[in-house]
Amino acid sequence: MAITANQSRQQPHFMVFPIMLPGHMIPLIDVARMLARCDGVIVTVLTTPVNAKRFRPALDRERRCGFKIREHELRFPCVEAGLPEGCENADLIPKGQNLAANFMAAVGMLRPQVEEAVKQSKPPPSCIVSDMLLTWTAEVAAGLNIPRLVFNGSCCFSDVCEARISDSEILGEVGSESEQFTVPEVPHNIQVCKSQVKLCTTDPNLLDDDPRKQWSVKIRQTSKSAYGVIVNSFDELEPDYVKEYRKMHHGRVWCVGPVSLCNQNYQDQSLRGYNNNYSDQQECLKWLDLQAPGSVVYVSLGSMAALSPRQMAELAMGLESNKRPFLWVLGKRGKNIDAFEDWNVSSGFEQRNRGRGLLVRGWAPQVLILSHTSIGGFLTHCGWNSTLEAISAKVPMVTLPLIAEQFLNEKLVVEVLGIGVSLGLKMSIDWDGEDKDDVVMVKNEEINEAIDKIMDERGIEIRRKVRELGEMAKKAVQKGGSSQLNLISLVQNVSSFAQP
Ligand code: UDP
């Protein structure tokens, strides 16, 4: 059903441009669909052919309901950027080949096509909504005199902590990578170390012309100068930080999440993300149907990062010794997974645990899995989508952050919200995840113990809190809930400057 946003005379037209990273694109496509469901709104999604194909079935469903959401395809310059043909999403970059910079260069080369799409668009866009990482869209929007809204795929807590660490230049004062320090001027006492946050903050020790410094400064500058920010969170989840974040962005912050909850029925949930393989999905769900309520540990470390082969084997042993049923999504294939698969065969791990454990190779229907009644716990890397999806499904977490702001998300989950148990990792892995030493960072006994802590009688309070937050999440996106009202207010705001 369409949401009424007290229409102005002009039809607001949102031009939505997600960056092609699964953890950023999936939620922004949800936002695009939520906007299109608002009365009178037109949405155009700018994306490339391979990505458009992934999302078309979900967008087709919206169109069949009469919502005005369309795609504008951009040609992705794979060959020019030295990428394999069809490598249009970061999850398609072959692992171990150091092609991340080529991928970002190809994304930058889209600029003239994006400018043209905005100029030629009919009706003209009222605003551009682009991912926070697409910093050059700020210049495109300014050049064409169109407001830009930023999509922040993380939470207010992590963004506020990142800003406080960067602005205070505290990283310049800490001695070693592993020295703990307190995040300055935030409402809670949050202790982190440099090795956990250096990839998501500005390090004052870097020279001004260091590309890493320039990149992080640019993201923060272009987010600050944007008209406003759309966040996949909800006001009640992190009220202190939403307030701080609003102060940082001229009051124009719209928390409209959890956006995964816009997928209300089975079809929407099974189509979320990619045009999934139906038989794989069915295998997962049938297996879950056989398990007792609340008994299964779900393990997934997101769409990009990979553990070292020895750490994967350690995780396998932890799951085995825990004796609970487990569903483990192995993640993106590469050298590490191949080496783990060799260990898997030689050790007989999968064979021995057949029936009690299911390994998923490829893409898993995460939202469907998390909302299955048999799931009792989630061992997660604390990617923000996974975190919020777990909260929405009322599932407590064991946290194993690997990279970027995931360590801060872990702090929110474990220390602020009290809905998870940390595995205590102190160090980011490499983005590519393939050229790191084959080390064990967390022992199988620690994994076993942490799972017990969220799933046995010691986890009563954690489970109570996550159920409470899950209820709040559901209410936030319902009629009259905070996120639904924020969505309406966003549309009204944009309507006020919509072009005739
Ligand atoms: N996801 C999924 N199936 C998979 C792996 C990931 O549906 O097999 C989805 C997951 O539900 C989430 C997103 O992909 O919406 C991953 O985002 P997140 O922020 O959790 O982690 P990232 O992949 O960005 O590290």
Side-chain angles (χ1 to χ4, degrees):
M1 194 193 292
I3 295 166
T4 305
N6 203 4
Q7 264 311 112
S8 75
R9 285 149 284 125
Q10 292 123 11
Q11 271 196 314
H13 177 195
F14 291 78
M15 201 158 230
V16 176
F17 184 23
I19 193 163
M20 301 82 156
L21 293 160
H24 292 237
M25 192 159 201
I26 293 170
L28 187 47
I29 293 289
D30 280 341
V31 170
R33 292 166 54 218
M34 288 159 62
L35 286 167
R37 289 176 193 176
C38 295
D39 206 13
V41 170
I42 303 172
V43 175
T44 304
V45 177
L46 295 177
T47 194
T48 67
V50 167
N51 290 295
K53 199 164 158 222
R54 287 180 172 187
F55 292 101
R56 189 156 299 132
L59 300 194
D60 279 345
R61 276 177 59 78
E62 303 295 331
R63 291 188 272 261
R64 280 199 293 276
C65 293
F67 302 128
K68 294 196 179 74
I69 185 161
R70 57 198 189 184
E71 300 140 47
H72 178 105
E73 286 193 9
L74 310 164
R75 193 188 71 80
F76 198 67
C78 291
V79 178
E80 294 91 317
L83 293 167
E85 199 63 66
C87 183
E88 298 181 11
N89 191 300
D91 67 356
L92 297 171
I93 303 175
K95 274 203 169 275
Q97 293 186 21
N98 284 325
L99 289 173
N102 303 51
F103 183 79
M104 287 314 288
V107 172
M109 288 182 212
L110 293 174
R111 182 169 171 163
Q113 291 183 68
V114 170
E115 267 163 350
E116 206 44 34
V118 176
K119 272 194 223 157
Q120 301 300 330
S121 169
K122 289 201 177 53
S126 325
C127 67
I128 298 177
V129 180
S130 59
D131 191 281
M132 195 171 232
L133 302 184
L134 290 167
T135 54
W136 51 266
T137 56
E139 288 152 31
V140 172
L144 299 171
N145 206 18
I146 294 172
R148 172 183 182 237
L149 289 154
V150 163
F151 174 66
N152 171 11
S154 189
C155 53
C156 298
F157 171 85
S158 296
D159 250 49
V160 169
C161 290
E162 285 170 20
R164 299 292 191 257
I165 294 169
S166 300
D167 293 344
S168 64
E169 303 200 341
I170 194 166
L171 291 187
E173 293 159 32
V174 294
S176 67
E177 296 258 320
S178 56
E179 185 185 316
Q180 295 267 331
F181 66 90
T182 306
V183 179
E185 291 178 60
V186 291
H188 294 83
N189 180 2
I190 306 294
Q191 304 271 325
V192 287
C193 54
K194 185 171 173 177
S195 56
Q196 294 175 316
V197 295
K198 66 176 180 186
L199 295 179
C200 60
T201 54
T202 309
D203 185 347
N205 295 320
L206 296 176
L207 294 174
D208 284 347
D209 60 357
D210 187 306
R212 287 167 296 174
K213 188 165 185 178
Q214 288 178 338
W215 167 244
S216 79
V217 168
K218 187 96 195 226
I219 292 172
R220 287 181 351 93
Q221 274 173 354
T222 51
S223 302
K224 244 184 170 157
S225 62
Y227 179 75
V229 190
I230 301 175
V231 191
N232 181 17
S233 185
F234 58 101
D235 289 348
E236 296 81 1
L237 180 69
E238 40 168 359
D240 298 339
Y241 296 90
V242 174
K243 199 166 140 202
E244 290 302 314
Y245 201 55
R246 288 210 166 100
K247 279 191 216 153
M248 281 162 56
H249 293 279
H250 339 281
R252 289 191 290 266
V253 167
W254 292 277
C255 292
V256 298
V259 300
S260 63
L261 289 178
C262 77
N263 301 285
Q264 279 159 11
N265 55 36
Y266 175 82
Q267 272 92 346
D268 282 335
Q269 289 177 358
S270 76
L271 285 176
R272 186 167 189 256
Y274 299 139
N275 191 3
N276 283 313
N277 182 324
Y278 183 74
S279 61
D280 284 356
Q281 274 195 10
Q282 288 308 304
E283 192 199 337
C284 273
L285 297 174
K286 276 195 191 132
W287 184 85
L288 287 172
D289 286 344
L290 298 174
Q291 313 306 322
S295 67
V296 178
V297 185
Y298 171 54
V299 182
S300 171
L301 302 172
S303 60
M304 301 297 296
L307 295 176
S308 72
R310 281 187 56 212
Q311 182 64 70
M312 287 186 84
E314 202 69 24
L315 174 53
M317 291 187 277
L319 292 171
E320 184 163 22
S321 51
N322 188 262
K323 300 209 165 43
R324 288 185 174 80
F326 61 86
L327 193 161
W328 180 6
V329 185
L330 293 185
K332 184 179 165 182
R333 262 201 80 180
K335 226 167 53 191
N336 287 6
I337 303 265
D338 291 346
F340 168 75
E341 292 283 19
D342 291 343
W343 174 87
N344 182 22
V345 172
S346 63
S347 69
F349 166 72
E350 189 173 12
Q351 187 62 32
R352 215 170 35 248
N353 289 284
R354 203 164 287 285
R356 188 168 75 78
L358 182 67
L359 298 189
V360 177
R361 296 169 173 89
W363 191 258
Q366 181 158 302
V367 169
L368 278 174
I369 291 172
L370 279 170
S371 53
H372 196 284
T373 51
S374 69
I375 297 293
F378 182 14
L379 194 156
T380 173
H381 69 314
C382 296
W384 182 243
N385 296 291
S386 295
T387 306
L388 203 51
E389 288 159 18
I391 293 171
S392 307
K394 307 176 184 170
V395 176
M397 286 165 262
V398 169
T399 58
L400 182 60
L402 300 174
I403 204 162
E405 92 294 355
Q406 292 159 12
F407 291 90
L408 292 167
N409 297 343
E410 176 188 57
K411 296 281 169 193
L412 176 69
V413 167
V414 177
E415 294 174 21
V416 178
L417 301 174
I419 54 172
V421 168
S422 165
L423 284 172
L425 211 68
K426 294 276 178 288
M427 181 86 92
S428 280
I429 62 161
D430 285 346
W431 170 249
D432 195 39
E434 294 276 303
D435 50 354
K436 196 82 186 164
D437 301 336
D438 192 5
V439 291
V440 171
M441 304 171 294
V442 190
K443 288 277 188 23
N444 77 68
E445 298 83 0
E446 296 168 301
I447 295 167
N448 179 13
E449 171 80 0
I451 295 171
D452 279 348
K453 278 190 183 157
I454 60 163
M455 292 179 76
D456 68 17
E457 63 290 348
R458 285 172 290 175
I460 289 175
E461 187 55 11
I462 285 181
R463 295 196 292 275
R464 187 194 64 74
K465 283 185 181 158
V466 80
R467 274 199 304 272
E468 197 174 284
L469 286 171
E471 253 336 283
M472 287 157 92
K474 215 163 74 187
K475 288 206 178 103
V477 296
Q478 281 169 358
K479 194 160 184 245
S482 62
S483 291
Q484 203 248 9
L485 293 174
N486 286 339
L487 184 70
I488 292 175
S489 132
L490 165 65
V491 171
Q492 283 173 337
N493 201 302
V494 169
S495 304
S496 68
F497 51 72
Q499 312 255 345

